[in-house]
Amino acid sequence: MVASRQFMRSLALSIGIAVAPLPAQTFHNFESPLAHGLALSPGGDRLFAVNAAAARLAVFSLADPRHPRLEREIDVALEPVAVAAHGDAEVAVVCWLSDCVQLVSLPHGNVVATIAVGDEPGDIVFAGEPARAFVSVSGPREVTVIDPASRVVVARVPVFCDAPRALCRSIAGDRVYVAAQRSGNGTTIAPAGTAPLPPTPDDDTLPSAPREGLIVRADDPAWRQLDVALPDLDVFGLDAQTFAVVEQHAHVGTSLFDLASDPRSGDLWVANTEAHNLV
């Protein structure tokens, strides 16, 4: 009888543990790709920083540049990844997960406009006269142009690349450059039925390797029968007034992370890596 009671108590305890609710998960880290998460005010007296995980914009005073002082944090939409100042009183924030750009009033300390731009916007710059906001949008592979005065989208410019992300403007302000985060490098896959068999194993006790696809250069004469053309376009220049694509730069890299204009020479510098698919 005692053993039976002990068994029932153990069983009840086991059932209680099994049905006990799990602790609620309160934090989800989406690890959205930050493009330009920091920006200075035009006068250089404030620093703006996005906090992607907390969905906030932090505003720092640079009265003493050696010791930035946090003035306030402003709630914005989900996963802010880029910020740019629009004058001294307004800041534009790109929110990757919420697919929007938000305009934040610094005097009021809150969001005053939300503009839908498309799937996964990544970066923003102001250029042209009057100034327009240029926003890279990864999903539809385009640059969306916003009139900050009317707060409406005035143009959507397709760019022939995968995941346009980092933006910068020329020193003169007449060009906006966009880099493809995932660009090509002229390689493709020869299907298994076309590629040669892998080498025979040195150990004759092993079976032959299975037929499989092979990564090849699309312009290799040996694979001309694939009849594949792979444009390798990486950086695009848009006219800041007409919004037309007026420049295309090829063979810059495979994964392009950021770009900047040299203030002295005007040269465009691009941080990137090159994938060695063939090795």
Side-chain angles (χ1 to χ4, degrees):
M1 187 68 176
V2 174
S4 177
R5 290 197 188 103
Q6 288 177 340
F7 172 76
M8 294 301 294
R9 281 197 295 267
S10 299
L11 179 61
L13 180 61
S14 299
I15 293 174
I17 293 174
V19 300
L22 295 174
Q25 185 174 351
T26 59
F27 177 72
H28 298 273
N29 186 7
F30 291 96
E31 297 185 354
S32 298
L34 273 71
H36 291 121
L38 298 172
L40 286 172
S41 62
D45 59 338
R46 279 191 173 121
L47 173 69
F48 308 109
V50 299
N51 184 335
R56 294 193 189 108
L57 172 70
V59 182
F60 293 87
S61 168
L62 296 181
D64 181 356
R66 296 171 300 177
H67 300 93
R69 177 178 57 83
L70 180 64
E71 288 186 345
R72 64 183 3 168
E73 289 185 286
I74 302 168
D75 291 332
V76 294
L78 296 178
E79 299 291 303
V81 294
V83 59
H86 178 231
D88 291 314
E90 195 169 78
V91 176
V93 180
V94 177
C95 297
W96 172 270
L97 200 59
S98 291
D99 298 340
C100 69
V101 171
Q102 292 192 313
L103 300 180
V104 176
S105 168
L106 295 176
H108 294 91
N110 60 7
V111 173
V112 294
T114 298
I115 305 162
V117 292
D119 186 34
E120 296 180 346
D123 201 4
I124 183 170
V125 294
F126 287 91
E129 186 59 44
R132 305 293 176 90
F134 292 77
V135 183
S136 58
V137 189
S138 297
R141 303 175 181 177
E142 65 187 18
V143 175
T144 297
V145 186
I146 299 170
D147 177 8
S150 62
R151 298 170 180 173
V152 298
V153 173
V154 296
R156 296 184 184 274
V157 186
V159 284
F160 190 78
C161 68
D162 190 20
R165 188 167 301 165
L167 296 169
C168 79
R169 70 175 202 168
S170 63
I171 300 305
D174 60 340
R175 291 280 192 277
V176 171
Y177 293 102
V178 55
Q181 202 283 323
R182 293 189 295 271
S183 178
N185 60 5
T187 59
T188 187
I189 297 178
T194 303
L197 284 170
T200 302
D202 293 335
D203 186 344
D204 56 12
T205 64
L206 296 176
S208 298
R211 185 179 289 276
E212 58 189 15
L214 183 67
I215 297 176
V216 300
R217 284 203 59 83
D219 57 2
D220 187 338
W223 300 102
R224 192 65 54 81
Q225 69 269 23
L226 294 177
D227 194 26
V228 174
L230 296 176
D232 181 11
L233 300 176
D234 305 312
V235 177
F236 302 81
L238 280 63
D239 187 295
Q241 297 301 127
T242 67
F243 316 141
V245 176
V246 292
E247 297 181 37
Q248 294 184 142
H249 301 279
H251 313 303
V252 178
T254 305
S255 298
L256 283 62
F257 304 104
D258 201 359
L259 70 172
S261 295
D262 187 323
R264 295 166 298 180
S265 66
D267 291 343
L268 197 62
W269 290 79
V270 183
N272 70 89
T273 60
E274 179 71 10
H276 298 284
N277 302 49
L278 299 176
V279 178

